[in-house]
Amino acid sequence: MATEEELFASVDALLEEEPQLPPPAERARLREAAGITQARLAVALKTSTQTVKNYENGRSEPKEPRLSAYQRLLNGWAAKYPAHGAASAAAPAPAPAPQPVPETFSGPAAPESETAAPVQAPAAPASPERPAARRPATSSRRPAAKKAAKPATDPRFPHGPLVVLDGDGSAYGVDGIVLDCPATTVPELVEWTLRESGLGAPRLHRNGKDSDPLVALTAAAAVKLGLPERLEGPEQRRSLRLPEDHPVVKQVAKAKWQLTQRGFGPWARIYRQATGNQRQCVQLAVLSWEALDTRSWPGVAEMEPADIARVLSIYAQRVITPRGSTAVSGLELMTALRPPTRAVQDRTTGQWVSGHNPGSLGTEPVAPAPPEARQQHPVAQGWTGGFLNEEAYQWVRDVDLLTDEECLLPYAVGLDLNTAFLAAASRLTVGLSGPEHFVNPPFNPKIPGSWLVDLSHIELDPRLPSPFTPTGERPEGPAWYQTHTVAYAQELGYNVAPIEAYLRRETGAYLDPWHDHLKTAYVDTLADLGVTRDLDDHAFLAAMERHKDIDPALTAVLAAIKATVKGGIGKLRERPQGRHHRDGESWPALQRPTWRPDIRAAVISKARVNIHRKLRNMADMTGLYPLAVLSDCVVYPSPGESPLDFLPYSTSGKPIPGAFRLGPTPGLAKLEGVQEMLWAVDLMEKGFNPARHIKGGDAVLDEGE
């Protein structure tokens, strides 16, 4: 029998051990249950967001004193948010909350965004005949990219989120697997996908919904299933869907499946109404119908099916299972990371019901203030008070303001800011509720909204664009501005006296999870292409010059991530579709809670202000002024062909904070292009913007549309 001395020695040894933390997955669950982002937790723990990510995926563990602080926080959350079936230390655990109450899918969805699609629920139980992977996919793909942390496979979806189906029945999926698909009709394909394929993806948030399985069809597969290889005829091309009397559409209806309001187009959703937690929805993408826009998915259309599957699978794992265009996916990602509802307990009945999820946009659309709406919007009819004009820069300096010294410099060098809109979304406070009207309110930079202010008296250096207008011209009188624009006028030392305002009482950092998720996807994909954050500026420029030659699949994923950012922001103010729309009529996008032009304006306003702040700091530090700005591209005169020839560095060789800096993360800059200075001056004299052509072609303006 152990002696008292031995027992005390053993107990003392336990006391001296470091605090024990819950498993990494539980740490992430507790943080999400508390509604805290990784970035916010990093601030509390006085560390980086990446370190928090490492804690939650098991790649590293905290050390003292951070270890004890982290354990104390997790213990507090664990008491508030016990795992289902776990007992609280303070009191008996309440009945475990079920999944959020399903919302009945009662009708067709809104165009493209499909916001009315059936809610997610766990996939149907796997059939015993679920096909195994037949063989490794043979393709021209390069070795798989290094993954910092491969997500654990959900047992409900052993074969990943999607497949690319070819005409011989080979279904190419994640990590090179190939499944046998015996389907010869679309209804058979839907049944196979739901019952046998093992496809799908788990929800991105504990209160969210699992992703529908996606089957992308090659041209040969489309023909085999009875679909046309391409949409033929002017009517089909204009509507981008099959006519209702097409044999395949009739097959779908006869099998008692339904199509959303978008019909059978490049992205088709086929479903049956959910029964309880039984999910019955499959998404099809017809590749030969241009489901993957070449601007967002460069080079993918020419790839082999296995390579297409690799591109889409990486995107699905890092961003979201594609649900349409990258713009649609960007918008859907916002909702997936901030679900509108959660399970709450009714105090009177004790039943679990669907309730509002704090920090989300809710389930009902919110009408904008008249100045925030488009002129076509119903609330803008009869409105004569002007509109918010927060757009990206399109500015060229007056050639008369060029100095002889600038004109004698040999080069014009373009800098492009990485995902500038994404950087602007970080820690951005936006309105969550509807607008309220105020007259002569005192300006408060912490309240999101729209302000009618006269900023025309502010005199700034004409060699820089005005920060208050997208054209860079000085305002001519009172105009509507988003909060960040007015706050910047105050930052410059000017008094502002709002005449009117439409403000929102309920606020929050709605886009923070979206920012964190996409930033990680962008940085990780760049790192897989050899552009890592530990590179010095010389090595960074060299890596960026060759990164597109390393792996075409990852290059396409990177382009899709960037398009997801821009398109997602643009979808917040989606225009009416179709030539028959008349001003004052509603359009389907207005029925979404995510039709929020005020949030789009906040992102673009902050992005434009961020650029102007850097332009001003560059002028103060180096005496250099830009030739032109187009959205997130800035062109400077330069003595050399590299940004290193004019960007400011300290005597120790480090970049000076506040100016443009090179690097792979959102908000930092990369080289966009180099041309001769005479070329740039010639364009400016002709009224063209050198920033649009500095890369050697026509740049697409990032309007967020």
Side-chain angles (χ1 to χ4, degrees):
M1 180 178 293
T3 65
E4 181 179 6
E5 182 177 347
E6 290 172 334
L7 290 172
F8 274 94
S10 298
V11 171
D12 289 340
L14 289 176
L15 289 173
E16 291 173 3
E17 287 186 5
E18 290 186 339
Q20 297 299 305
L21 298 175
E26 178 65 2
R27 303 171 199 173
R29 185 194 73 79
L30 290 171
R31 175 184 55 74
E32 291 174 353
I36 302 299
T37 66
Q38 290 175 326
R40 186 174 172 190
L41 177 56
V43 172
L45 294 178
K46 302 296 190 292
T47 187
S48 67
T49 303
Q50 185 58 52
T51 299
V52 172
K53 295 180 191 295
N54 293 343
Y55 294 166
E56 294 185 356
N57 60 34
R59 288 196 297 175
S60 67
E61 296 290 337
K63 302 298 182 183
E64 292 292 3
R66 190 171 287 115
L67 175 59
S68 295
Y70 191 31
Q71 186 194 44
R72 179 179 181 183
L73 178 63
L74 293 175
N75 288 343
W77 283 341
K80 288 184 177 181
Y81 313 104
H84 292 322
S88 170
Q99 299 299 333
V101 175
E103 300 162 17
T104 301
F105 184 75
S106 57
E112 194 172 11
S113 64
E114 306 294 352
T115 54
V119 299
Q120 302 277 18
S127 165
E129 289 76 26
R130 172 174 293 167
R134 293 196 287 126
R135 60 186 184 275
T138 56
S139 72
S140 60
R141 71 184 180 117
R142 299 171 185 264
K146 295 181 294 182
K147 296 180 176 63
K150 184 177 178 178
T153 301
D154 190 306
R156 297 172 299 157
F157 314 119
H159 295 146
L162 56 88
V163 290
V164 176
L165 181 62
D166 207 358
D168 63 356
S170 297
Y172 298 86
V174 65
D175 293 331
I177 66 169
V178 185
L179 307 177
D180 280 317
C181 177
T184 58
T185 67
V186 170
E188 289 177 0
L189 175 61
V190 173
E191 293 283 356
W192 174 84
T193 304
L194 290 175
R195 312 302 173 204
E196 301 180 37
S197 70
L199 296 175
R203 62 201 67 193
L204 295 177
H205 188 281
R206 64 191 299 264
N207 294 319
K209 308 167 185 177
D210 297 330
S211 288
D212 296 323
L214 168 64
V215 180
L217 306 177
T218 65
V223 171
K224 179 182 177 180
L225 296 171
L227 299 168
E229 182 175 344
R230 301 195 179 277
L231 288 177
E232 299 176 355
E235 182 59 35
Q236 290 180 347
R237 281 200 168 276
R238 184 164 59 249
S239 62
L240 290 178
R241 61 182 176 184
L242 293 177
E244 293 184 4
D245 60 353
H246 190 277
V248 171
V249 177
K250 290 183 176 180
Q251 282 180 358
V252 171
K254 185 176 180 180
K256 301 191 183 306
W257 291 98
Q258 294 178 269
L259 292 163
T260 58
Q261 190 176 19
R262 287 289 292 176
F264 206 122
W267 292 89
R269 296 177 75 86
I270 302 176
Y271 70 96
R272 282 179 183 152
Q273 196 161 334
T275 56
N277 285 335
Q278 187 74 23
R279 177 99 185 127
Q280 299 187 90
C281 184
V282 174
Q283 183 165 269
L284 303 181
V286 187
L287 300 178
S288 58
W289 295 0
E290 300 178 1
L292 301 180
D293 191 307
T294 56
R295 295 168 297 180
S296 302
W297 303 92
V300 176
E302 292 78 34
M303 292 182 179
E304 295 296 320
D307 294 311
I308 297 175
R310 179 173 175 239
V311 171
L312 295 178
S313 295
I314 294 174
Y315 179 88
Q317 290 169 343
R318 297 187 176 184
V319 182
I320 193 173
T321 303
R323 302 185 182 183
S325 67
T326 49
V328 170
S329 297
L331 193 71
E332 291 290 333
L333 181 62
M334 295 180 194
T335 303
L337 294 169
R338 290 278 199 191
T341 61
R342 64 173 180 171
V344 296
Q345 194 169 29
D346 189 308
R347 293 183 178 180
T348 57
T349 65
Q351 298 296 315
W352 290 92
V353 297
S354 182
H356 175 65
N357 187 27
S360 75
L361 295 181
T363 59
E364 297 298 324
V366 173
E372 297 167 348
R374 306 191 69 92
Q375 292 182 343
Q376 303 99 319
H377 197 286
V379 305
Q381 303 312 298
W383 172 258
T384 58
F387 293 92
L388 198 65
N389 189 27
E390 297 288 10
E391 302 294 342
Y393 267 134
Q394 294 188 71
W395 172 82
V396 180
R397 200 202 313 178
D398 189 335
V399 290
D400 293 336
L401 297 177
L402 294 175
T403 65
D404 292 341
E405 291 78 5
E406 288 176 319
C407 292
L408 291 174
L409 290 173
Y411 298 104
V413 176
L415 292 176
D416 179 72
L417 298 186
N418 302 319
T419 56
F421 290 165
L422 184 61
S426 177
R427 298 183 179 87
L428 175 67
T429 300
V430 300
L432 302 178
S433 55
E436 298 182 36
H437 184 239
F438 296 88
V439 178
N440 297 322
F443 177 68
N444 187 334
K446 295 183 179 181
I447 301 179
S450 302
W451 309 77
L452 181 62
V453 188
D454 189 349
L455 302 178
S456 61
H457 62 285
I458 298 179
E459 186 78 39
L460 299 174
D461 193 313
R463 292 171 293 181
L464 293 177
S466 167
F468 311 125
T469 64
T471 63
E473 299 177 356
R474 183 173 175 174
E476 296 182 353
W480 289 96
Y481 302 98
Q482 202 275 333
T483 298
H484 280 88
T485 305
V486 184
Y488 188 57
Q490 219 176 39
E491 178 184 322
L492 293 174
Y494 295 91
N495 292 325
V496 293
I499 304 168
E500 289 182 67
Y502 286 91
L503 309 177
R504 288 166 169 80
R505 294 183 184 274
E506 186 181 348
T507 65
Y510 172 72
L511 294 174
D512 258 10
W514 187 79
H515 164 271
D516 294 349
H517 191 82
L518 286 170
K519 177 182 176 181
T520 299
Y522 179 79
V523 171
D524 286 354
T525 306
L526 263 182
D528 287 339
L529 290 168
V531 187
T532 57
R533 287 190 277 191
D534 58 349
L535 299 175
D536 63 31
D537 285 359
H538 290 85
F540 167 74
L541 290 172
M544 285 299 299
E545 188 172 355
R546 61 177 181 268
H547 82 283
K548 291 186 178 180
D549 301 324
I550 292 176
D551 188 330
L554 284 172
T555 300
V557 172
L558 186 68
I561 292 171
K562 292 190 286 187
T564 301
V565 173
K566 298 170 185 175
I569 295 300
K571 277 285 183 181
L572 293 169
R573 198 190 69 170
E574 183 178 356
R575 302 170 185 267
Q577 306 292 321
R579 60 181 180 177
H580 300 297
H581 181 268
R582 297 291 180 267
D583 289 357
E585 296 176 348
S586 182
W587 60 94
L590 302 188
Q591 305 309 310
R592 301 190 316 242
T594 49
W595 196 85
R596 290 295 300 271
D598 56 300
I599 295 180
R600 174 187 177 273
V603 173
I604 297 179
S605 168
K606 185 179 175 183
R608 198 180 65 242
V609 164
N610 286 347
I611 287 181
H612 191 275
R613 190 180 288 112
K614 288 181 171 63
L615 294 173
R616 189 163 50 88
N617 290 338
M618 279 285 292
D620 293 341
M621 295 175 187
T622 67
L624 288 177
Y625 293 85
L627 302 176
V629 185
L630 182 75
S631 188
D632 50 10
C633 178
V634 182
V635 178
Y636 273 101
S638 172
E641 297 181 80
S642 170
L644 302 175
D645 294 316
F646 63 88
L647 290 177
Y649 292 86
S650 66
T651 54
S652 63
K654 293 184 178 181
I656 299 178
F660 292 106
R661 295 176 56 190
L662 299 176
T665 55
L668 298 187
K670 59 181 180 291
L671 176 63
E672 177 72 358
V674 183
Q675 300 287 347
E676 293 183 354
M677 183 64 179
L678 290 178
W679 167 91
V681 174
D682 182 57
L683 282 182
M684 295 167 69
E685 289 177 339
K686 294 177 180 178
F688 298 116
N689 191 325
R692 186 180 295 277
H693 310 279
I694 192 75
K695 198 174 184 177
D698 285 353
V700 177
L701 178 63
D702 299 336
E703 292 181 310
E705 290 289 1

